[in-house]
């Protein structure tokens, strides 16, 4: 495990009723006297829209380490939130936080994206082509056909991903992921009111929504059943039907 306490930023456990902490600490979160570490605040020196790895044993913010707790701080007047869902939390190619469940604990670490293409070895992982700023998630590989999604607001939605080597979501076969431009999580609450979740293979395993046109083939057009997949999902874990 890396990270040196002397270089870390203290997250102070305040037992007094004031905010006059050691100014040598550049950033901190503080206890509200009830050991309620789910309700943190940050001082005026804190950056907005930032993630912080935290060692909850001593409430230090760790620069770079494994198996830490991740907090997201939106602004100085709103409590920081502990990240409780496994997934990817993205700042840029150089700064990505990856969280996975270990029992009942969500353990997180920081890494930079080093993969540069979607292959069988990178299913379920983030990648980015060399000299590109675009970050993508590899969803599935069948022979020469690669299914992936570029992370941007236009592509936000639910996607089916195959179980890959890293498997941070704890998948058995497939998973239903909520993909956003800066965050990817298991969509355990998804409910379309139907028995099955339907996926259009021609749209990179994106989950179809009500009213969406089904893929068609031939002339005259008939339903392209080969490119419509059915999955049964429970709490984000899926099996193909």
């Amino acid at each position: 495990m890396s990270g040196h306490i002397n270089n870390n930023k203290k997250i102070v456990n305040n037992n007094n009723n004031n905010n006059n902490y050691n100014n040598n600490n550049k950033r901190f979160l503080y206890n509200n006297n009830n050991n309620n570490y789910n309700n943190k605040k940050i001082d005026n020196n804190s950056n907005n829209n930032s993630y912080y790895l935290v060692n909850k044993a001593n409430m230090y913010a760790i620069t770079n380490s494994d198996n830490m707790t991740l907090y997201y701080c939106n602004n100085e007047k709103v409590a920081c939130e502990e990240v409780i869902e496994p997934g990817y939390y993205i700042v840029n190619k150089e700064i990505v936080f990856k969280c996975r469940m270990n029992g009942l604990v969500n353990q997180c670490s920081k890494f930079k994206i080093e993969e540069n293409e979607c292959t069988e070895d990178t299913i379920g992982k983030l990648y980015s082509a060399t000299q590109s700023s675009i970050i993508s998630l590899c969803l599935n590989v069948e022979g020469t056909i690669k299914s992936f999604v570029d992370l941007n607001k236009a592509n936000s939605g639910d996607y089916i991903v195959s179980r890959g080597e890293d498997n941070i979501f704890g998948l058995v076969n497939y998973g239903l992921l909520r993909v956003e431009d800066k965050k990817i999580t298991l969509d355990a609450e998804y409910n379309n009111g139907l028995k099955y979740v339907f996926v259009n293979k021609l749209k990179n395993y994106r989950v179809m929504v009500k009213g969406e046109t089904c893929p068609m083939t031939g002339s005259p057009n008939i339903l392209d059943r080969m490119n419509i997949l059915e999955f049964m999902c429970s709490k984000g874990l899926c099996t193909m039907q």
Side-chain angles (χ1 to χ4, degrees), residues 35-129:
N35 290 323
N36 184 6
Y37 288 116
N38 292 324
N39 186 20
K40 294 293 182 302
K41 297 181 184 297
I42 55 179
D43 70 353
N44 292 330
N45 294 322
S46 297
N47 295 323
N48 297 340
N49 302 314
S50 299
Y51 288 101
Y52 300 97
L53 287 175
V54 174
N55 182 348
K56 293 185 76 172
N58 54 25
M59 297 313 292
Y60 268 93
I62 306 297
T63 302
N64 191 14
S65 187
D66 296 329
N67 302 327
M68 295 290 107
T69 301
L70 188 64
Y71 281 89
Y72 177 70
C73 300
N74 186 30
N75 66 62
E76 65 194 37
K77 296 181 180 180
V78 179
C80 296
E81 297 180 354
E82 181 178 342
V83 174
I84 60 174
E85 296 179 287
Y88 294 109
Y89 300 85
I90 303 156
V91 178
N92 52 46
K93 288 176 63 170
E94 300 295 319
I95 304 175
V96 181
F97 297 93
K98 175 173 63 176
C99 299
R100 68 173 75 233
M101 294 302 295
N102 183 4
L104 299 176
V105 179
N106 197 30
Q107 295 184 331
C108 306
S109 58
K110 185 174 74 172
F111 73 102
K112 65 179 180 179
I113 297 173
E114 297 182 333
E115 308 291 351
N116 57 27
E117 61 179 324
C118 182
T119 68
E120 290 185 354
D121 293 331
T122 60
I123 292 174
K125 295 182 180 180
L126 299 175
Y127 71 95
S128 182

Side-chain angles (χ1 to χ4, degrees), residues 98-217:
K98 175 173 63 176
C99 299
R100 68 173 75 233
M101 294 302 295
N102 183 4
L104 299 176
V105 179
N106 197 30
Q107 295 184 331
C108 306
S109 58
K110 185 174 74 172
F111 73 102
K112 65 179 180 179
I113 297 173
E114 297 182 333
E115 308 291 351
N116 57 27
E117 61 179 324
C118 182
T119 68
E120 290 185 354
D121 293 331
T122 60
I123 292 174
K125 295 182 180 180
L126 299 175
Y127 71 95
S128 182
T130 305
Q131 305 301 321
S132 172
S133 61
I134 298 173
I135 299 173
S136 306
L137 173 68
C138 184
L139 297 168
N140 191 51
V141 176
E142 293 183 13
T144 60
I145 301 175
K146 301 178 181 182
S147 299
F148 60 90
V149 54
D150 295 333
L151 305 189
N152 56 53
K153 292 183 179 180
N155 289 337
S156 293
D158 285 290
Y159 293 80
I160 292 291
V161 62
S162 299
R163 175 179 173 172
E165 180 181 278
D166 199 16
N167 196 26
I168 68 169
F169 300 101
L171 307 181
V172 178
N173 297 298
Y174 298 91
L176 178 60
L177 301 185
R178 179 65 185 175
V179 176
E180 302 175 42
D181 59 330
K182 295 293 185 181
K183 182 170 71 172
I184 301 171
T185 54
L186 194 69
D187 196 346
E189 304 299 323
Y190 180 87
N191 183 4
N192 62 1
L194 303 173
K195 182 177 180 180
Y196 298 113
V197 174
F198 297 92
V199 168
N200 185 346
K201 286 181 65 176
L202 299 179
K203 292 188 176 181
N204 287 326
Y205 280 69
R206 183 165 182 162
V207 173
M208 299 175 66
V209 298
K210 185 176 181 179
E212 183 175 342
T213 302
C214 294
M216 308 296 287
T217 187

Side-chain angles (χ1 to χ4, degrees), residues 17-28:
N17 293 320
N18 62 71
N19 296 340
N20 296 320
Y21 305 131
N22 186 345
N23 288 329
N24 291 327
N25 299 313
K26 301 298 184 182
R27 183 175 295 111
F28 54 80

Side-chain angles (χ1 to χ4, degrees), residues 209-232:
V209 298
K210 185 176 181 179
E212 183 175 342
T213 302
C214 294
M216 308 296 287
T217 187
S219 180
N221 284 346
I222 59 174
L223 191 64
D224 186 1
R225 298 184 181 276
M226 294 296 294
N227 284 307
I228 300 176
L229 302 179
E230 297 179 356
F231 293 86
M232 184 171 286

